[in-house]
Amino acid sequence: MSGKLKITGNVLASQKLQAIWENPEEETEKVSFAGAPKDSDESAGNDPSQLGDMPAALKSDFVFQIFAERLGEEPELAKKMKVVYNWNILQGGKKVSEWTVDLKSGSGSIYRGSPKSGKADVMLTMEDEDVILMMLGKLNPQRAFMTGRLKIKGNIMLTQKLNQLWQEILKSGRAVELPILSAILADRPFDPSLRSETCFVELGKRISRLPELVEKFKTVFEFNVTKNGEKQTQWILDLKTDKGMLSRGPAKEGVTPTIFIDVDDDVFADWILYKISADQVISSKKTKIQGNSSLVSKLLNSLKLTSKL
C-alpha cells in the first residue's frame, strides 16, 4: 500500500471501477459522475449564452479536427464503435466549447455543438488542457476520472473504448501531424491575446504534410512574434532535423537558427489565414528579417496549403 490513493466510502466499489476500466468488455453498467452536466444541458448546442465567450480556438479543437480528418479517410473506424459521444470543454471550470463525436450515424461525423439528433450515449466534461494531456497519453483516463478531472455521464466503458481507438491512431502514425503538434499542444496554454498562437499550430500541420521541406531548406528559422512593437513569443522552425520540427523558443541545445524573422502577431495570422500574401508579409513595416530574405519568401510560398482553422 503506497498511500497515493485515499478512499472515503465503499472500497469495494473502487475496486470494481478498477476492474471495469481494465476489462471494458466485461461490464455494461451505466455510471454517472457527480457534477456532470444535467440532462437539460444537452440542448445547449452552440448558443453563446450557454457556451460563454467562445475563444478563437482551443487546444482541444485541433484534436477533434485531426480525429475528424482520420474519420473522413477511414470511415470504417465508426463501425468499430456505434456510439455518440458529447464532449463539454471547460476553461477554468467554465464551459467554453462543445463537440459531438458521432460514431453511430452512417460513416460517422465529428462537429461542434450537441448531438443533432437524439441523446449522446456518453457525456464527458473536461478542462481543455486535460483533454490534450489525455489524448496525447500523458494523463491516464482512469486517474483523471478518479480525481475528478474527467467527469462522465453514461457508460464508462465506452469512454475507455474511445481512448483505445485514439491511442491506436496515435501509435499507428496515421495522424502525421501529431509528432509535430504533440509538443506544442502539451506545452503551456495558448495566450488568448495573440492570434498567432493557434496559427503556429496550423503552421505545424502544414509542415507535417510537407516532409520534403527539410531537404529543400536545411535551415533553422527563428520567429519572434511582436505586438505593438514588443516581443511576445518565440518559435523555432527546424528544417534541418528529421522531418522537421516546430517548437516554442528558445532553440534547444544543438539547434542553431541562421535566419531570424520578427513578425507582427496580426501580420502572421493574416498570412496563415490567406488574407495577405508572403510578399506582403516580407514587405510589411512590421516585419524584420535577419538573414536570407529570399529564403524566407521561398519558405512562406512553399507553405501554401488549404487552411483548416
Side-chain angles (χ1 to χ4, degrees), residues 156-173:
I156 191 173
M157 285 67 63
L158 296 179
T159 304
Q160 177 70 343
K161 287 183 178 181
L162 178 64
N163 185 61
Q164 289 171 346
L165 176 62
W166 176 253
Q167 294 304 319
E168 177 188 324
I169 292 173
L170 279 182
K171 293 175 182 178
S172 71

Side-chain angles (χ1 to χ4, degrees), residues 66-91:
I66 292 171
F67 204 166
E69 290 165 12
R70 294 265 43 84
L71 187 61
E73 295 179 14
E74 302 177 57
E76 65 274 10
L77 292 175
K79 297 178 182 178
K80 296 182 179 181
M81 306 294 291
K82 294 298 180 183
V83 183
V84 177
Y85 299 90
N86 180 219
W87 284 83
N88 295 286
I89 310 301
L90 311 178
Q91 274 192 334

